[in-house]
Amino acid sequence: MAIDASSVGFLAAFAAGAVSFLSPCVLPLVPGYVSYVAGQSAAGERDSLRTLGLSLCFVLGFTTVFVAFGAGASALGFALLAHREALNLASGLLVILFGLFTAGLLRPAWLQRELRWHGDPPGQGPVAAYLLGTAFAFGWTPCIGPVLGAILAVTASSAAGKGVALLTVYSLGLGVPFVAAALFLSGFVARLRTLRWFGRALQLVGGGVMVAMGLLMVTDRMSAVASLLVEAFPVLGRIG
């Protein structure tokens, strides 16, 4: 198996999805999204099976969009294969920028703008939940956008063509806690303050990891470090 950034990146992609879920741009909105998806208020009685089905439709909605982004990033990487060195440098610098922003050390105004659909969901039911998920994915928030952008940059700079797989894993990292929150909403709401603190700590760590990855990409040391990780943790070589 070829050793590259994407070969050891699936765990990181899942963790990035979880960090996105716990981010201050998403976490406080989860009860509202759950209420929209389930079609009932957060305090109302809900059918667990119905809630599970509708929340999975919501997750499938944003997964569809993210996977399409991943496929596009892979296609871009293949199209620019002849310019791999320049693409790797540009992608690394972009990942560093996103990492500094995620950690809160850099706050350019153009990244802090929020572009997101704020309308009511188009009715209720599985189709409405799916469409709401796609609308969620197409928006830009200062928390999700940079993390997603960093994953796409890494994907585009890699010749492995694993954009679809990486973005599927990222969507799982974002989707699994959403489904759990939908099924156990009252407990989730009660722990929002603790989760916000934990999410901020994860953002700092995640931002540092992104900066480190960007530096490895710029210096063309990503494959070497990936090989060392596989040697130290052989299980990583069986992921992907």
Side-chain angles (χ1 to χ4, degrees):
M1 186 187 78
I3 301 298
D4 54 44
S6 61
S7 297
V8 295
F10 292 108
L11 183 60
F14 186 89
V19 170
S20 296
F21 176 84
L22 292 170
S23 67
C25 303
V26 175
L27 189 64
L29 302 177
V30 171
Y33 274 112
V34 171
S35 297
Y36 278 146
V37 168
Q40 300 180 19
S41 68
E45 293 294 329
R46 299 171 321 195
D47 182 280
S48 295
L49 187 60
R50 178 177 183 274
T51 299
L52 174 63
L54 292 176
S55 61
L56 287 174
C57 289
F58 177 84
V59 170
L60 181 61
F62 66 67
T63 299
T64 301
V65 177
F66 290 155
V67 167
F69 287 166
S74 290
L76 177 63
F78 280 117
L80 298 177
L81 193 60
H83 307 283
R84 176 67 55 196
E85 186 175 339
L87 181 60
N88 205 51
L89 176 61
S91 298
L93 292 174
L94 191 61
V95 171
I96 292 173
L97 171 65
F98 285 152
L100 291 173
F101 182 85
T102 299
L105 301 178
L106 189 66
R107 290 293 183 182
W110 60 278
L111 283 179
Q112 296 188 65
R113 298 176 62 185
E114 183 175 302
L115 299 174
R116 188 176 59 210
W117 182 69
H118 293 281
D120 292 328
Q124 296 180 6
V127 175
Y130 178 84
L131 292 177
L132 187 62
T134 60
F136 171 81
F138 274 117
W140 167 276
T141 68
C143 301
I144 287 185
V147 175
L148 180 61
I151 295 176
L152 293 175
V154 171
T155 299
S157 67
S158 171
K162 293 188 177 180
V164 170
L166 280 173
L167 269 298
T168 299
V169 174
Y170 171 80
S171 299
L172 284 174
L174 180 60
V176 168
F178 180 87
V179 173
L183 292 175
F184 307 102
L185 186 58
S186 58
F188 173 80
V189 172
R191 292 169 174 79
L192 263 180
R193 179 174 296 180
T194 301
L195 289 172
R196 285 176 180 172
W197 179 90
F198 185 59
R200 178 55 188 154
L202 282 180
Q203 276 198 298
L204 289 171
V205 174
V209 171
M210 289 163 65
V211 171
M213 287 183 63
L215 290 173
L216 291 174
M217 292 168 68
V218 168
T219 57
D220 198 22
R221 298 294 298 169
M222 182 71 80
S223 295
V225 172
S227 298
L228 291 175
L229 286 174
V230 170
E231 290 178 6
F233 306 99
V235 67
L236 293 175
R238 296 191 290 271
I239 300 177

